[in-house]
């Protein structure tokens, strides 16, 4: 049941990101991007979101602004 725990963490993080203005698809993209741009797994990226759900780092507008060249 280890996979269930990982999926649960990811689903919770998607919910937090949706609360910050993301669509479910952009929330999943955000998690994948965070995991790919740092030395962590998607589960660790999800845990970072759920450990601090009120952070403005998760706001959709801020998230995309940080990626602009």
């Amino acid at each position: 049941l280890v996979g269930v725990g990982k999926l649960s963490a990811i689903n919770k993080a998607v919910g937090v990101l949706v609360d910050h203005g993301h669509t479910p698809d952009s929330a999943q993209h955000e998690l994948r991007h965070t995991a790919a741009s740092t030395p962590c797994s998607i589960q660790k990226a999800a845990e970072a979101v759920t450990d601090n759900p009120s952070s403005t780092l998760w706001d959709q507008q801020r998230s995309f602004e940080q990626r602009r060249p």
Side-chain angles (χ1 to χ4, degrees):
L1 293 175
V2 172
V4 172
K6 288 180 183 179
L7 186 57
S8 178
I10 293 167
N11 285 338
K12 286 178 186 177
V14 167
V16 169
L17 293 171
V18 166
D19 286 345
H20 282 271
H22 288 270
T23 65
D25 286 339
S26 72
Q28 291 176 10
H29 176 78
E30 181 70 19
L31 290 174
R32 286 191 300 272
H33 174 77
T34 300
S37 64
T38 61
C40 71
S41 66
I42 194 165
Q43 181 182 1
K44 291 294 182 189
E47 289 170 2
V49 172
T50 57
D51 285 348
N52 193 5
S54 62
S55 174
T56 59
L57 290 174
W58 316 132
D59 291 350
Q60 182 198 28
Q61 186 63 33
R62 182 179 174 111
S63 182
F64 288 114
E65 286 174 357
Q66 290 175 343
R67 290 198 200 127
R68 284 190 198 149

